[in-house]
Amino acid sequence: MTKKPEKTEVGYADLNGADKDLLHTALNRGASRREAIKMMAATGLSVAAAGTIVTSAKDAIAATPKKGGSVKMCPSLHGPDDRLIPAQFTSTVDYTRGRAHYNGLTQLNDDITPRPELAEEFSPNANATEWTFKLRKDVTFHDGSKFTADDVMYTMAQHYGDDSVSVVKTLVSEVKEWKKVGPYEVKAILESPNSDLATLMGEKQFKIMKEGSAEAYNADGTLPPGTGPFTLEDFQPGVRSRHVRNENYWREGANFDEIEVFAITDPVARVNALLSDDVDMVAQVDPKAVKQVESTDGAEIKSTPSSAYFGMCMMLDRGPGQNADFVKGMKFLHRRDKVVKSILKGQGTVGNDHPINQAFGPDFCSELPVRPYDPDQAKFHLDKSGITSAEVNVAEVSPGITDVCLMWQRECSKIGFDLQVKKVPTDGYWGAVWMQTPINVVAWNMRPTATIQLDIAFAPDAPWNDTYWKNERFGQLLQMARSETDPAKRHEIQCEMQTLAHDGSGMIIPAHNNVVDGHGSDIMGIPSLPLGILGGCEWPEFAWKA
C-alpha cells in the first residue's frame, strides 16, 4: 500500500472511522437526509460537502454485496486454549470462529436490540419471568442433520449445574429451567424477571451446538458441526483456522468463499501486516497508529463508538475515599474532552463517571449533564476534606490510562494538591492492586445491556464493585430494570441509576474507548455492533469484498 495523495475536496472517503459509523448508524435508524446533513455540518463541514457525503454514504449502504474472494483476519491474541465450545469462549479469536461456525437463538442489531435468528419468534410474558422461543424448521447442521429443540435444550444445559464450565453461567442464573414445549419450541422459566434474556441469547457464548457434539469433541477431537454461514475445514488451536462458505446455509449466506483466522499478537506487526497487504482485516489498532492507517492508500479504520471504559477507583471503604469531599473534589479535575482528543487520538467519547454512554441507545441518560472541569470546585471540596495528598496505583490495563493519570496529577498540582502516580506492572495487577489499594485503575469491556454493565461493577452486592459503593436504592432500581419491558419507564430507571452512580460512587470515568480496527478499503459491509472487534465479530456473514 502507498501513502494517499493530498486531496483538495472533502468526500465520504475522508471521514474517519468514528464519523462514518455515526453517519451509517443515523441513516440505518431512519434519519432524514436533512438531519444527516445537519449532523455532518456540525463537525465543521460546509453544507455542500455534508450533502455530498450523505449521498455517497447512502450509496455505500445500498451497494449490493458481491460473492467471492477470500480474506485473512487477525485478532490480537490466540493460544493452545483456543476453543470451539461456545460456552467456554473467552477471546476475540474464539468469538470470530464461533460467529462463522454457529448461530444463536437471537442475533443483535447494531443498536444491541435482538432480532430472530434460529428462533423465528421470541416473546416474554407480562413480567419477563417466562420467555418463549419458537424455532425455525428449515435449518440443518453442517453434517446434514436437522436442528430441533433438543439441540437448544442440550446447549442451554451447559450453562447450569455444579460441574458447568460455562464462562457466562452467572448471566443466566435467574433461569430456573429450560422446557421443551414441542419439537420446535422451547421456554425459559425464570426465578426472577429478566427483560434482557433475548438480548443475552445473542451473545457469543450462547451459540447453539448439535446435541452431543461437545462430548464427541472433548473425547476424540471430532469437530462439532454448526448451523452457521461457514464450515470449519481446518482448526489448529494457537495457530489458525480455515472456514469455507456453507453452500447449504439456511438463509442467504456468506459472501466470502473462504476466511482464514490467525492472530498477530504484536500491535505494530499487526498494523504492518495490514498496510503491506498480507492480511485483510486486523483487530485493535492502537490509537497512535490510526493516522498511519488512514493515510495509507488501500487501508481504512473501522472505529465504532462503544461503552468500553477505563476509570480511576477511589475506594469508599477506606481513606482517603471515605471522605465524600475528597471524592467530589477529585472528580472535578479531569479535562475529559482533552483525554479523548489528545490521549485517545479522537477514538473515544467523553465519560461522565458512570459506565453507560450513547452506545446503549435509549438506555443512555443523555439529559444528565457531563461533570465539568472545575478547579475552583475541586479546591473547595479538597480544602474542606483536609486531605492534601494521595497516591494512585496505575498499570497500563488500557492504552493511555497511565497518561490520563499523569494528566490528573498535573491538574492536582495546579491547585496545590499532591497526587503521586505509582506505576506498577500489569502482571499480577488484578489480584494484588485492583480493589486492594486506596486508589487504583480499572478497565471494562462493554456488556450486552446497560443493566448488566451497571450490575457487574456497581450493584451493592457485586463481587467486582470497584469502589465498594453500597447504595440500597441503586440495588432496588437494578431489580426494577430487569423486569421492565416498557422503553420509556426503563429509560427513567436507567437515568436514576446513572445519576446515583455519577454522584455517589468513587469511580471516575473520564472517557469511553471506541472499538478501533483496520481493514482493506475493498472490504465492505462490516456491521457496527459495539460489543467487540469488527462489528462485534458479526462480520463473517455480512462483509464482502468489492
Side-chain angles (χ1 to χ4, degrees):
M1 295 181 182
T2 58
K3 187 175 179 61
K4 293 177 181 176
E6 295 294 328
K7 292 185 177 181
T8 58
E9 296 182 0
V10 176
Y12 171 71
D14 299 300
L15 293 182
N16 61 41
D19 285 344
K20 282 184 179 178
D21 272 355
L22 287 171
L23 180 55
H24 277 209
T25 300
L27 291 172
N28 284 328
R29 288 180 178 175
S32 68
R33 176 178 171 80
R34 177 175 294 181
E35 290 169 336
I37 289 174
K38 184 177 180 181
M39 182 178 71
M40 287 291 98
T43 67
L45 294 169
S46 68
V47 173
T52 300
I53 286 171
V54 170
T55 298
S56 56
K58 286 190 171 185
D59 291 341
I61 292 172
T64 302
K66 297 178 182 178
K67 297 286 186 181
S70 62
V71 294
K72 295 180 179 179
M73 179 268 171
C74 292
S76 60
L77 293 173
H78 63 184
D81 292 330
D82 290 352
R83 307 287 186 176
L84 282 181
I85 309 300
Q88 300 170 28
F89 285 172
T90 59
S91 67
T92 55
V93 70
D94 292 342
Y95 303 156
T96 300
R97 289 175 178 137
R99 184 60 192 88
H101 195 65
Y102 299 104
N103 298 111
L105 288 177
T106 65
Q107 190 170 30
L108 300 181
N109 296 308
D110 285 354
D111 62 357
I112 329 178
T113 56
R115 67 178 186 267
E117 194 170 25
L118 290 179
E120 61 183 2
E121 294 181 28
F122 55 88
S123 60
N125 63 356
N127 65 352
T129 56
E130 290 187 6
W131 281 84
T132 300
F133 297 86
K134 296 183 178 181
L135 309 178
R136 298 187 186 277
K137 300 176 182 179
D138 57 346
V139 178
T140 58
F141 286 93
H142 296 150
D143 63 358
S145 59
K146 291 199 69 173
F147 159 72
T148 69
D150 292 330
D151 304 304
V152 178
M153 296 294 293
Y154 169 78
T155 299
M156 295 308 161
Q158 297 177 38
H159 301 285
Y160 298 92
D162 295 337
D163 58 347
S164 169
V165 295
S166 167
V167 298
V168 291
K169 59 185 178 181
T170 58
L171 294 182
V172 288
S173 60
E174 296 150 334
V175 180
K176 181 167 56 178
E177 66 169 320
W178 285 86
K179 183 180 294 185
K180 179 181 174 182
V181 180
Y184 293 100
E185 185 173 335
V186 297
K187 182 175 289 189
I189 313 296
L190 284 69
E191 292 181 331
S192 58
N194 189 340
S195 60
D196 291 330
L197 186 65
T199 301
L200 289 175
M201 291 299 102
E203 268 288 74
K204 295 90 171 169
Q205 292 86 358
F206 294 104
K207 303 300 184 189
I208 303 301
M209 299 192 73
K210 179 182 175 179
E211 185 178 13
S213 59
E215 287 83 357
Y217 175 67
N218 289 328
D220 60 15
T222 301
L223 296 179
T227 60
F230 288 88
T231 62
L232 183 60
E233 297 298 307
D234 181 46
F235 175 55
Q236 302 174 57
V239 182
R240 68 185 64 236
S241 61
R242 188 172 67 88
H243 312 253
V244 175
R245 184 169 59 222
N246 176 12
E247 300 297 348
N248 297 313
Y249 192 45
W250 54 274
R251 56 183 174 191
E252 183 177 343
N255 298 305
F256 298 126
D257 292 332
E258 181 178 311
I259 61 176
E260 187 177 352
V261 180
F262 58 93
I264 298 177
T265 57
D266 180 79
V268 175
R270 197 161 58 249
V271 168
N272 286 340
L274 173 67
L275 300 184
S276 61
D277 283 330
D278 291 331
V279 300
D280 302 280
M281 310 166 76
V282 298
Q284 296 168 297
V285 175
D286 190 304
K288 295 176 182 177
V290 167
K291 282 189 176 180
Q292 180 188 11
V293 175
E294 291 187 328
S295 65
T296 303
D297 190 39
E300 292 188 13
I301 287 291
K302 172 76 172 174
S303 182
T304 305
S306 167
S307 199
Y309 67 91
F310 54 78
M312 284 71 83
C313 312
M314 297 176 287
M315 309 303 293
L316 302 185
D317 64 333
R318 69 201 76 171
Q322 286 177 321
N323 188 301
D325 278 296
F326 168 78
V327 174
K328 288 180 181 177
M330 297 303 265
K331 288 183 177 182
F332 281 111
L333 287 171
H334 291 271
R335 296 181 179 270
R336 299 164 194 267
D337 54 348
K338 190 173 182 180
V339 169
V340 173
K341 182 178 180 180
S342 300
I343 295 177
L344 296 184
K345 309 300 182 185
Q347 305 302 317
T349 54
V350 166
N352 199 19
D353 301 338
H354 66 80
I356 310 304
N357 75 347
Q358 299 91 327
F360 280 111
D363 279 347
F364 171 57
C365 186
S366 58
E367 47 267 56
L368 178 63
V370 174
R371 178 171 279 115
Y373 167 71
D374 192 333
D376 292 333
Q377 279 266 51
K379 183 170 175 55
F380 169 80
H381 285 291
L382 289 171
D383 287 348
K384 187 177 177 182
S385 75
I387 298 169
T388 59
S389 65
E391 179 182 83
V392 56
N393 286 259
V394 56
E396 193 73 353
V397 295
S398 180
I401 195 168
T402 303
D403 291 334
V404 173
C405 287
L406 292 172
M407 182 185 291
W408 188 21
Q409 179 186 52
R410 291 192 295 272
E411 297 303 331
C412 285
S413 68
K414 292 177 183 177
I415 61 169
F417 188 89
D418 180 23
L419 177 67
Q420 294 297 311
V421 176
K422 182 180 178 181
K423 299 179 184 179
V424 298
T426 54
D427 288 347
Y429 176 81
W430 299 109
V433 180
W434 175 58
M435 297 182 68
Q436 304 300 315
T437 61
I439 307 176
N440 52 77
V441 297
V442 73
W444 284 97
N445 292 322
M446 184 175 176
R447 266 41 186 188
T449 73
T451 302
I452 293 172
Q453 190 91 53
L454 288 164
D455 191 337
I456 196 169
F458 288 81
D461 58 349
W464 291 342
N465 185 316
D466 292 298
T467 68
Y468 287 107
W469 176 59
K470 311 293 183 183
N471 186 286
E472 183 178 351
R473 173 60 177 169
F474 187 90
Q476 295 169 350
L477 290 164
L478 276 173
Q479 293 297 325
M480 293 167 61
R482 292 189 188 101
S483 61
E484 187 54 68
T485 57
D486 180 82
K489 293 179 181 178
R490 186 183 176 99
H491 180 78
E492 290 180 9
I493 295 169
Q494 286 290 339
C495 268
E496 187 175 349
M497 285 195 292
Q498 291 164 42
T499 301
L500 287 171
H502 167 92
D503 290 336
S505 85
M507 175 65 70
I508 297 172
I509 301 176
H512 297 264
N513 311 82
N514 286 5
V515 180
V516 184
D517 306 307
H519 62 88
S521 298
D522 58 346
I523 303 296
M524 307 291 180
I526 302 172
S528 296
L529 180 67
L531 297 181
I533 63 168
L534 292 162
C537 301
E538 286 289 318
W539 66 269
E541 181 165 353
F542 304 108
W544 51 283
K545 183 174 282 190

